[in-house]
Amino acid sequence: MAQSGRPVRNAPPRISSSDKKPADKSFAWPTQLEMRVPFEPTAFPSGEKSYLMYELYLTNYGSSAHTFSRLEVLDADAGEAAPIASFDAEQLAAMVQPIGDISGKNKLTLGGGQSAIVFVSIATGRKAHFPRRVVHRIRMGDTALEGAGIATHHTTLHLFGPPLEGANWLAADGPSNDEDNHHRRGVLVMDGSPVDSRRYAIDWKQMQNGASFSGDARDVHSYYSYGNAVLAVADGRVITSKDGLPDNIPGHGEAFHPAVPITLETVAGNTITLDLGGGQFAYYMHLQPGSLRVKAGDHVRRGQLLARVGASGDAREPHLHFEVTTSPRLIRGEGVPYLIARYRSSSKGTQEEHTHDLPLDNEVIDFGEAMRSTRQHAP
């Protein structure tokens, strides 16, 4: 009874200090690391192997830094099977590109609020085939995090004829995972989203005895590539035919002075874009002024002459930049792989015949035999 004599109803029981339970301090939020692949890849063959190339984006949403020690790529449908690929810290250091300025910092340490791109490239035997889906496991000390499940056959592999004719064509900055490959590392933010239209692009340069020219290095006519025929790789409709930009005087580094200021409108130079169907588009860039033989709306056949190799736009020397993307707008699409019906390659002193393959970085390609088998398609 209270002092007033009235009963106290629903009074809480008294708890002595010795009966209080300490707060549970063992709870912790899961690792606040986002893993995502903005554009799912498509495996493609080249030689005796098949390749899978894509970008894994990492963002640290927490306040504590994370240091990566290993990346494993797993078959998403195989349970506890061994990884199909595993990259240790040394390998990861060559694959990671931090976003923003982290000069002087460890590339494998991602601080709070920081992001990075991991450029992934996996090779397997041509007949082994990649799993239908893969998932990623990041190891950070004693912690492991799985996520970013993706498919491995996202787009159709179009089968092409050659974009050029003849021999000794160097596939400069072709498909590879090298740190200095400006196509592979060519991620740009366009319309608010990161894209890499150049993921599988090739700068085709004709070579002789290891050189791309003979004579005056500042004369476009000294270059073996200049003026060579550029061919339609497939039947398609021309959606862009841009002419009128002058050739540059060749030069590299500080010696490069473009004939016109480089902007989004001029970077590709004189350009032809083909609609291949199925949401894929072939781009031919840096074409010789006055050489374009087609206009927007034309329908072309595989093997048809489109233009000639030039040095317009952001071209340090004459070459053909060729890529296939998912957008009819320049640089806005995602680069996708494709196959060339037949060609011969030479690399490190060996020659190899290819059927339904995509050339890799720095292979030297002979399209001669392929041309004899595809010229019948030209009108």
Side-chain angles (χ1 to χ4, degrees):
M1 294 288 184
Q3 290 183 353
S4 64
R6 301 179 61 183
V8 178
R9 298 180 179 179
N10 301 322
R14 293 181 178 179
I15 301 176
S16 67
S17 59
S18 61
D19 293 331
K20 292 181 180 179
K21 293 183 179 181
D24 186 356
K25 296 181 180 180
S26 62
F27 174 78
W29 291 105
T31 302
Q32 295 297 288
L33 180 70
E34 181 193 36
M35 307 164 61
R36 64 187 180 93
V37 176
F39 186 74
E40 293 186 338
T42 296
F44 66 91
S46 187
E48 297 300 317
K49 295 182 178 181
S50 290
Y51 296 86
L52 197 65
M53 295 183 182
Y54 57 96
E55 297 80 57
L56 173 66
Y57 283 64
L58 305 175
T59 298
N60 184 356
Y61 278 77
S63 57
S64 300
H66 298 297
T67 299
F68 310 125
S69 58
R70 182 173 294 274
L71 169 65
E72 297 169 344
V73 184
L74 314 167
D75 184 340
D77 301 317
E80 294 301 319
I84 65 169
S86 182
F87 305 96
D88 61 23
E90 182 178 357
Q91 293 168 310
L92 276 175
M95 297 163 57
V96 172
Q97 178 176 303
I99 298 175
D101 180 17
I102 65 155
S103 55
K105 298 181 181 179
N106 181 358
K107 290 202 303 181
L108 299 187
T109 296
L110 203 62
Q114 293 183 335
S115 299
I117 306 173
V118 185
F119 290 87
V120 181
S121 178
I122 306 170
T124 187
R126 186 171 183 132
K127 296 181 180 180
H129 301 295
F130 283 98
R132 184 180 62 86
R133 289 186 59 80
V134 298
V135 68
H136 302 83
R137 179 188 292 151
I138 288 279
R139 295 192 179 275
M140 301 161 282
D142 296 331
T143 302
L145 178 68
E146 288 191 10
I150 58 170
T152 61
H153 295 81
H154 181 63
T155 55
T156 300
L157 289 170
H158 280 267
L159 181 62
F160 292 160
L164 300 152
E165 57 186 347
N168 300 320
W169 287 102
L170 176 68
D173 282 314
S176 79
N177 213 40
D178 292 345
E179 289 184 87
D180 61 354
N181 188 321
H182 75 283
H183 291 156
R184 180 72 181 97
R185 300 296 177 105
V187 175
L188 296 171
V189 177
M190 303 299 296
D191 302 327
S193 298
V195 294
D196 189 354
S197 71
R198 298 172 287 175
R199 189 177 288 110
Y200 306 96
I202 296 176
D203 285 341
W204 290 107
K205 301 178 182 180
Q206 196 167 44
M207 311 290 287
Q208 289 189 23
N209 299 318
S212 60
F213 69 96
S214 176
D216 184 358
R218 291 177 57 78
D219 183 354
V220 292
H221 299 90
S222 298
Y223 289 79
Y224 304 120
S225 304
Y226 190 75
N228 272 271
V230 173
L231 309 174
V233 294
D235 296 354
R237 180 174 62 88
V238 178
I239 60 172
T240 301
S241 179
K242 181 178 181 178
D243 202 346
L245 292 175
D247 285 323
N248 299 315
I249 297 174
H252 293 268
E254 295 182 356
F256 178 59
H257 302 288
V260 297
I262 300 301
T263 67
L264 282 177
E265 298 300 319
T266 65
V267 65
N270 301 316
T271 309
I272 290 173
T273 310
L274 299 183
D275 185 345
L276 304 169
Q280 295 189 21
F281 304 85
Y283 285 82
Y284 301 80
M285 304 183 191
H286 311 310
L287 302 173
Q288 182 188 79
S291 73
L292 280 66
R293 302 292 186 90
V294 295
K295 63 183 184 301
D298 287 352
H299 289 266
V300 299
R301 300 293 303 276
R302 174 172 158 174
Q304 181 176 337
L305 176 65
L306 299 179
R308 297 193 176 275
V309 177
S312 56
D314 190 13
R316 270 64 175 173
E317 65 178 77
H319 69 278
L320 172 68
H321 177 107
F322 180 81
E323 66 183 37
V324 180
T325 84
T326 59
S327 175
R329 299 175 65 200
L330 182 71
I331 309 176
R332 268 76 172 183
E334 295 284 5
V336 294
Y338 53 89
L339 306 176
I340 297 179
R342 295 181 64 190
Y343 62 89
R344 182 185 296 113
S345 74
S346 60
S347 178
K348 298 180 181 179
T350 61
Q351 287 198 343
E352 185 177 355
E353 297 285 343
H354 292 261
T355 302
H356 297 192
D357 275 0
L358 177 60
L360 300 179
D361 184 30
N362 284 332
E363 289 187 335
V364 179
I365 304 301
D366 180 354
F367 291 124
E369 186 175 345
M371 278 306 306
R372 286 192 289 274
S373 66
T374 59
R375 287 299 287 180
Q376 59 184 321
H377 296 279

